[in-house]
């Protein structure tokens, strides 16, 4: 699970000087979001449906991750998801979208180390591992 340790560390570092609660809240919220949107496959499909397929496909593949901006994050995830997660974490929807534009490519990339969306078992293990790190 070294890749997931790295992901937790990166996410915590990206959130900077905030207290542990906020850091854990954002990463936990991302993991919860992945679980609630039909898993990683559902997230990928949502982005593809919104015209962002090239971007999210680059995160899944083994090549370089294409960047995404905060507005594209809002489009891909939907304003309701952004608002709910922002309220849970305690930051503005704009700040959340900005942080997710930095964090989400790495999350998807680390959850797809072989360039494919893992079959159920691996993703669930990864989510459980992250929950354990946060809880």
């Amino acid at each position: 699970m070294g890749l997931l340790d790295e992901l937790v560390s990166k996410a915590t570092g990206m959130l900077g000087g905030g207290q542990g609660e906020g850091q854990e809240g954002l990463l936990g919220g991302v993991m919860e979001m992945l679980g609630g949107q039909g898993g990683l496959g559902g997230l990928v499909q949502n982005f593809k449906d919104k015209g962002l397929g090239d971007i999210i496909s680059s995160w899944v593949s083994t090549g370089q991750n294409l960047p995404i901006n905060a507005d594209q994050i809002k489009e891909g995830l939907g304003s309701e998801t952004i608002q709910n997660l922002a309220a849970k974490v305690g930051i503005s929807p704009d700040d959340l979208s900005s942080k997710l534009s930095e964090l989400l490519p790495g999350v998807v990339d680390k959850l797809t180390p072989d360039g494919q969306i893992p079959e159920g078992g691996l993703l669930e293990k990864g989510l459980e591992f992250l929950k354990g790190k946060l809880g």
Side-chain angles (χ1 to χ4, degrees):
M1 292 285 180
L3 290 174
L4 293 171
D5 281 324
E6 181 183 331
L7 174 62
V8 170
S9 175
K10 179 179 178 184
T12 301
M14 286 176 61
L15 294 170
Q19 296 298 326
E21 177 82 25
Q23 296 168 1
E24 293 171 359
L26 180 57
L27 187 57
V30 169
M31 294 297 107
E32 194 175 298
M33 178 186 66
L34 285 175
Q37 292 203 359
L40 189 54
L43 179 74
V44 169
Q45 190 59 51
N46 284 347
F47 274 67
K48 286 181 178 181
D49 291 347
K50 304 281 174 59
L52 301 168
D54 289 346
I55 293 172
I56 199 158
S57 292
S58 76
W59 305 346
V60 172
S61 74
T62 57
Q64 185 173 355
N65 294 337
L66 293 176
I68 191 165
N69 64 43
D71 289 334
Q72 291 169 315
I73 287 285
K74 289 178 191 174
E75 179 70 23
L77 295 177
S79 60
E80 184 177 340
T81 298
I82 294 291
Q83 289 175 353
N84 290 341
L85 186 54
K88 180 177 180 174
V89 177
I91 60 177
S92 75
D94 287 340
D95 285 347
L96 175 71
S97 296
S98 177
K99 290 183 184 304
L100 286 177
S101 71
E102 298 173 29
L103 179 62
L104 199 55
V107 169
V108 173
D109 188 57
K110 298 297 183 202
L111 291 174
T112 58
D114 298 323
Q116 296 181 332
I117 297 171
E119 295 298 323
L122 179 61
L123 181 58
E124 275 76 29
K125 286 178 188 173
L127 292 174
E128 287 303 313
F129 173 78
L130 286 171
K131 285 179 187 174
K133 287 286 193 183
L134 301 174

